[in-house]
Amino acid sequence: MNSPTDNSPSLPIIDSSKPVEVKTFDDPGHSLTHRNDQHKLFAALRDVGFVYLQNHAIPPSAQQLLFQHARQILASLSRRRQRLRPENQKPSTSGSHPSGRLAKDHFLRVLYYPETTGSSSWNRFRASLHTDYGTLTLLFDDSHGGLQVRNKAGDYVDAPPLPGTAIVNVGDPLTRWFNDTLKSTEHRVVDPSAFDKSSADIPDIIPARCSIAWFGHPNRDALIDPIKSCCTSDNPKKYEPVYARKHVVERLAKLHKDGKNIKTWTDSMGRDGKQDLVTEVKVGA
């Protein structure tokens, strides 16, 4: 696992302005470059499932404004909870997740992970191992990091914030539509300093982490069935049809069963059986 304090790119970097450029017929070289960039993007989503996206259409000023409003809302909610919560009640690690409903079944969500103590963070996950249930996720992180992506070998690779980029990852429905050709990769969120084995000092307080995610979901009544051209003799059909809403409900039910991630999935989105058995924990527990 690479060091969480190392900000070197750990995921493929894709220039989003290139795969979507309009092809000019008077420049054959441009057409070839265009196809190469498309292939690079497809290969990254196939082999890794996560990419850093450069030159996306969301300007830094809009991102800063979103984070500013998110922190104001979270601070207000935190003060309100402090007034309402009994003295012996402990806050949850889930924090506050205000979300905005967009067109269709897409969501823009603020993911908030409260601060915790360094002495109790070494064995905790801010978000335990999971895949995303939508088609695609677009993620903007603050500077604290903590996202880890599980590679094909089962090791965790840190995906630190990279200035000027967003993180895009494949979700379960896209994996099903492409019959496992595209990869819905497992990932988790940790306290970076606590998981940095090269660091002798873990701070007394691990700061709060905030990220903003856009979850692109199929319409809930959409039927998710592998595309015929993705089912071949070498890669036979692996998934039965399922409606998008049912898929999400089933995945959430399994994730939260008994407050744990189950060791292996029992549905047709089964993985390799190497899932961690992680108990949900509470801050201050």
Side-chain angles (χ1 to χ4, degrees):
M1 181 179 73
N2 60 306
S3 169
T5 58
D6 179 6
N7 287 326
S8 59
S10 54
L11 304 173
I13 299 177
I14 301 295
D15 186 343
S16 65
S17 67
K18 293 182 178 180
V20 296
E21 283 179 348
V22 177
K23 182 168 61 175
T24 57
F25 293 98
D26 58 347
D27 184 359
H30 176 84
S31 176
L32 178 60
T33 302
H34 180 71
R35 289 197 299 271
N36 289 341
D37 289 323
Q38 289 179 328
H39 293 162
K40 181 180 178 182
L41 173 60
F42 187 86
L45 297 180
R46 177 195 64 204
D47 298 337
V48 183
F50 274 74
V51 300
Y52 287 114
L53 198 67
Q54 287 181 327
N55 294 321
H56 50 73
I58 304 176
S61 58
Q63 299 172 45
Q64 294 168 5
L65 189 61
L66 278 172
F67 275 106
Q68 178 183 339
H69 286 314
R71 291 189 180 99
Q72 290 174 349
I73 293 171
L74 293 169
S76 176
L77 290 173
S78 179
R79 290 193 296 270
R80 187 179 305 172
R81 287 181 175 182
Q82 290 293 336
R83 291 196 299 268
L84 297 176
R85 188 173 64 240
E87 292 184 1
N88 62 347
Q89 183 178 342
K90 299 172 182 178
S92 167
T93 51
S94 60
S96 302
H97 291 180
S99 61
R101 186 75 175 269
L102 303 177
K104 304 297 183 180
D105 287 307
H106 310 314
F107 289 89
L108 183 68
R109 178 164 293 176
V110 175
L111 303 172
Y112 176 66
Y113 308 88
E115 72 175 27
T116 186
T117 61
S119 60
S120 62
S121 63
W122 66 270
N123 62 345
R124 297 187 174 194
F125 304 111
R126 284 181 154 175
S128 55
L129 192 67
H130 66 283
T131 57
D132 287 353
Y133 309 144
T135 307
L136 283 172
T137 301
L138 179 68
L139 179 71
F140 294 93
D141 269 332
D142 64 12
S143 59
H144 295 299
L147 175 65
Q148 291 185 331
V149 177
R150 196 173 194 179
N151 63 22
K152 292 180 178 180
D155 299 322
Y156 295 102
V157 178
D158 296 286
L162 191 63
T165 70
I167 290 177
V168 174
N169 65 280
V170 172
D172 294 344
L174 208 55
T175 292
R176 297 180 76 115
W177 268 316
F178 278 81
N179 200 37
D180 272 355
T181 301
L182 299 186
K183 186 176 178 60
S184 176
T185 303
E186 295 168 315
H187 52 285
R188 67 184 187 182
V189 179
V190 302
D191 297 325
S193 54
F195 277 77
D196 182 6
K197 304 304 182 183
S198 64
S199 175
D201 293 324
I202 296 178
D204 293 334
I205 298 297
I206 306 294
R209 177 184 185 268
C210 184
S211 60
I212 297 174
W214 176 80
F215 295 100
H217 282 252
N219 295 344
R220 64 191 65 187
D221 58 350
L223 185 65
I224 305 173
D225 193 18
I227 300 169
K228 289 183 178 180
S229 60
C230 294
C231 303
T232 65
S233 57
D234 294 330
N235 186 35
K237 185 175 181 178
K238 298 178 180 178
Y239 303 108
E240 294 303 317
V242 63
Y243 286 104
R245 182 183 183 278
K246 182 179 180 183
H247 169 76
V248 173
V249 169
E250 289 180 348
R251 300 296 284 174
L252 287 173
K254 292 179 184 300
L255 180 67
H256 295 294
K257 181 181 179 182
D258 300 326
K260 300 178 180 180
N261 278 346
I262 60 173
K263 195 168 185 179
T264 57
W265 300 112
T266 57
D267 64 352
S268 58
M269 281 297 293
R271 303 295 169 180
D272 57 8
K274 298 178 181 178
Q275 277 80 352
D276 296 333
L277 185 62
V278 178
T279 304
E280 294 290 332
V281 294
K282 305 293 184 182
V283 170

